[in-house]
Amino acid sequence: MILFISDVHLGRGDVDTGRAVERDLISCLSHHRNEVEHLYILGDLFDEYIEYRRLVPKGFVRLQGLLADWTDTGIPVTYLVGNHDPWHIDYFEAELGVRIAHDVVACRHHGVSFHLAHGDAVGHASRLEGWLKGWLRHPVPVWLYRSLLPADLGLGLARAVNRTFGNREIDRDLAGRLRVKARRILEDHTVDVVILGHSHQPECTSWPEGGYLNPGYWHESRSFARLVDGATQLVRWNGRSVDVVQDYLRPVDSS
């Protein structure tokens, strides 16, 4: 079994909300522990995340402990950064054994090939948004931000900007753009399934070329995706077990 989770946004809302989000995620992951072969986190695990050379944001250590335990026992974890948490250095890799990816991940499991990304790179509504994303991830301004601002001030400023301008609702236009991009990727006939996050809208759609899936907004809906017996499922954690929302795609050619 392969798990795909996106848009957890740990740190969004008050303390009690954050702990409930983390607690449910840990329960869900623990429920799958004996079957899971690989966990993919498709961005925005945190609502804000800026790692410094010797400091990381405090909080959510229970989840980090679970991830470290999984990698220690041989369960791979791959974390594709999103638009809320791109400023990683080496903490997750060196301390937790989690692979950090800053771009698209191509993988294959049980005969099914996947194209995985957070989705912010293909979901820009304007050139300005695309330019801003590139600027915020360029090593020079990132270095200046970390170097010129004390950690508390730097993270506090990021939180203030996020709370002012960050999107907390389902973006229907963005969801449509991601769907169009997914089909274009599938038309190249190089993958069976495209999985993107970012829009906060759970979705599974199939075309003759293949399937598109968005795990949705874990923070609110507790939805995620998994690959079971060659079928990609959109599912939801109900607090004790999993409800299958749609079991939608079985590739014709799984060789």
Side-chain angles (χ1 to χ4, degrees):
M1 179 183 294
I2 314 298
L3 300 180
F4 308 90
I5 294 177
S6 182
D7 294 279
V8 180
H9 288 281
L10 291 169
R12 176 167 290 186
D14 58 29
V15 173
D16 289 340
T17 298
R19 287 176 177 168
V21 172
E22 181 189 34
R23 182 176 61 248
D24 284 351
L25 181 55
I26 290 172
S27 296
C28 177
L29 294 177
S30 299
H31 176 81
H32 291 87
R33 180 189 176 102
N34 293 332
E35 300 174 90
V36 67
E37 301 166 53
H38 201 129
L39 167 64
Y40 290 93
I41 302 169
L42 274 70
D44 289 358
L45 177 61
F46 300 96
D47 207 35
E48 307 93 10
Y49 186 89
I50 303 175
E51 181 179 335
Y52 293 80
R53 192 157 63 96
R54 292 188 177 91
L55 299 171
V56 296
K58 70 178 183 180
F60 308 109
V61 295
R62 293 169 181 82
L63 175 63
Q64 293 177 47
L66 180 145
L67 297 178
D69 179 57
W70 276 26
T71 61
D72 284 347
T73 56
I75 302 173
V77 179
T78 299
Y79 178 175
L80 292 78
V81 301
N83 55 302
H84 283 255
D85 54 1
W87 287 7
H88 286 263
I89 301 178
D90 63 356
Y91 172 75
F92 266 70
E93 292 185 323
E95 296 296 329
L96 308 182
V98 173
R99 174 195 174 196
I100 294 291
H102 292 271
D103 204 347
V104 171
V105 168
C107 58
R108 188 177 184 88
H109 297 282
H110 300 282
V112 182
S113 57
F114 292 91
H115 173 108
L116 309 177
H118 177 61
D120 57 318
V122 299
H124 299 312
S126 66
R127 290 184 179 180
L128 176 61
E129 186 180 346
W131 176 85
L132 182 62
K133 179 205 166 187
W135 187 82
L136 289 173
R137 296 195 184 186
H138 191 280
V140 173
V142 170
W143 179 83
L144 288 172
Y145 192 95
R146 287 190 176 113
S147 301
L148 298 179
L149 297 180
D152 281 348
L153 180 58
L155 187 58
L157 177 60
R159 285 175 175 165
V161 171
N162 181 39
R163 279 152 177 70
T164 302
F165 300 105
N167 177 35
R168 284 164 162 72
E169 305 297 332
I170 290 176
D171 188 331
R172 305 292 180 184
D173 291 337
L174 173 59
R177 294 196 301 273
L178 292 176
R179 191 181 308 113
V180 169
K181 180 62 176 181
R183 188 163 193 181
R184 288 176 180 168
I185 294 170
L186 291 167
E187 286 171 349
D188 292 337
H189 301 291
T190 57
V191 296
D192 299 310
V193 180
V194 174
I195 302 183
L196 306 172
H198 190 47
S199 70
H200 295 179
Q201 177 171 301
E203 180 175 352
C204 51
T205 303
S206 60
W207 301 286
E209 299 89 353
Y212 163 59
L213 192 144
N214 192 308
Y217 187 23
W218 171 272
H219 186 275
E220 293 293 334
S221 66
R222 304 300 196 261
S223 61
F224 63 106
R226 61 187 190 180
L227 176 70
V228 182
D229 297 330
T232 310
Q233 301 175 325
L234 179 62
V235 294
R236 182 172 288 111
W237 178 248
N238 64 24
R240 297 186 304 273
S241 62
V242 172
D243 297 325
V244 177
V245 178
Q246 191 168 351
D247 186 348
Y248 82 103
L249 182 67
R250 291 181 182 273
V252 175
D253 180 10
S254 60
S255 62

